[in-house]
DNA sequence: TAGATTGTTAATCGATTAACAATC
DNA sequence: TAGATTGTTAATCGATTAACAATC
């Protein structure tokens, strides 16, 4: 299985398809689905659904469609969701704390996502040593050790803007190559590292453009 | 000023440019900037910077570049950021609460964004009536009245997945046409309504794809 | 004036859609 | 077999990049 350079646009749609398949699997009454139906439920054209899936193999049967359970399983394999994935959260402010709770609650029981919040980090010595939801808060110095021990693969950055790059660097040096970044900063990272930026202010400013000018 | 159908890809980059200009304006020592420099700082090619800006007018001078203060001001006008914009937050769980604090803190002093968190809503009768950061929590029934009175233009949805569509509908009916959606649900809205989806689990599942399989 | 950089047009690149032969 | 739907190739569409004349 060596899929060189599949466009990120494709990868972004796979979790969308997976979500639809999860729902169908839970309801339990649909064993087969066509690219047509899957597309409608995921908000994607049927041709694009087939093209996306075809990058990874031949998962369907002509004249029949895709087996829900089988395709779901293949997507889980492709997306690397079969094994437990350890995640760290850096920055235990109010946002970080909320994200910690949110993730714990949300992914504890999600069928196709085996996420484990394995560590919390904060630069504030007053916080280090205390616990959130039973997980101890550690200092930034412990990053290399804890990342290695807990096999952490993804870090959620919820630190202030001016600390984000430094903290990101620490995790990258420790071997983490996936960052979910809540800080309003464009992180400079090596090509091998993937960043998912979640930038509230950019989104809100974008939305403001669509507010009708008259009534404003 | 009637700019018909400018691509959303363009609109998404404007807040990026604005952020760079804000920083330069704060430092105060750069009065002029070329598309080259602006592009580097925003992570965009210089030709694209010029093309994006040219959709809205001729803001630069040949051989000179763009005036930082002037361009910043024009972008603020284009993005509708000159006047205070009232925002509501629906769903005062731990995530909603954190977002409320986060927004209040972050945008209280940001120079080019005049956002006011004008109302909180929650369906839980036990929460209705209490306050967060001095803002009372209201019931969903009060949406039409409060939206009209407070001139709310944007809603941040931080409600559970199964409530999201209903709450969104209520705000759309009340006249709100911009939604920042934290619920892991694809909202069905009229064409006139803009949704910015912030979907943690999709992002995390996407990142998981890039986790090296060997070490996993 | 000479040098620099814009605004804009043409060329390229990539992603989506349409079409259809293969086949279940 | 007939009907349906895949996997895939070709056509279209849109967005980015390159190039350059206009001009400060």
């Amino acid at each position: 299985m060596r899929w060189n350079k599949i466009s990120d646009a494709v990868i972004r749609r796979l979790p969308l398809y997976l979500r639809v398949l999860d729902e169908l699997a839970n309801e339990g009454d649909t064993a087969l689905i066509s690219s047509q139906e899957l597309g409608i439920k995921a908000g994607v054209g049927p041709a694009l659904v087939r093209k996306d899936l075809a990058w990874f193999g031949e998962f369907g049967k002509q004249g029949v469609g895709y087996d829900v359970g089988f395709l779901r399983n293949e997507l889980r394999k492709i997306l690397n969701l079969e094994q437990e994935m350890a995640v760290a959260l850096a920055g235990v402010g109010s946002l970080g704390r909320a994200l910690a709770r949110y993730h714990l609650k949300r992914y504890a029981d999600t069928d196709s996502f085996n996420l484990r919040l394995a560590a919390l980090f904060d630069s504030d010595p007053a916080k280090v040593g205390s616990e959130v939801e039973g997980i101890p808060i550690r200092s930034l110095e412990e990053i290399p050790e804890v990342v290695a021990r807990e096999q952490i693969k993804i870090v959620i950055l919820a630190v202030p803007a001016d600390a984000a790059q430094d903290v990101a660097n620490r995790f990258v040096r420790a071997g983490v190559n996936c960052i979910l970044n809540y800080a309003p900063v464009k992180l400079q990272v090596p090509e091998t590292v993937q960043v998912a930026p979640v930038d509230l202010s950019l989104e809100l400013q974008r939305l403001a453009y669509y507010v009708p000018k008259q009534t404003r």
Side-chain angles (χ1 to χ4, degrees), chain A residues 67-152:
Chain A
D67 181 279
V68 170
F70 174 73
L71 182 56
R72 172 169 175 272
N73 214 46
E74 290 298 316
L75 285 179
R76 280 168 44 78
K77 276 191 232 165
I78 293 164
L79 286 170
N80 231 337
L81 304 176
E82 291 210 299
Q83 250 129 326
E84 186 180 77
M85 181 94 53
V87 173
L89 190 140
V92 193
S94 68
L95 182 64
R97 220 171 281 262
L99 290 173
R101 291 211 190 86
Y102 185 77
H103 282 107
L104 281 171
K105 190 161 57 185
R106 176 127 221 288
Y107 304 117
D109 48 12
T110 299
D111 3 57
S112 68
F113 205 4
N114 213 345
L115 206 67
R116 183 171 60 93
L117 186 56
L120 302 175
F121 295 95
D122 203 292
S123 65
D124 183 353
K127 287 179 187 164
V128 174
S130 64
E131 292 190 353
V132 173
E133 306 273 326
I135 304 165
I137 300 177
R138 298 191 160 87
S139 75
L140 302 183
E141 280 69 36
E142 297 174 81
I143 290 173
E145 180 207 328
V146 177
V147 163
R149 189 177 65 228
E150 301 282 345
Q151 296 267 79
I152 287 167

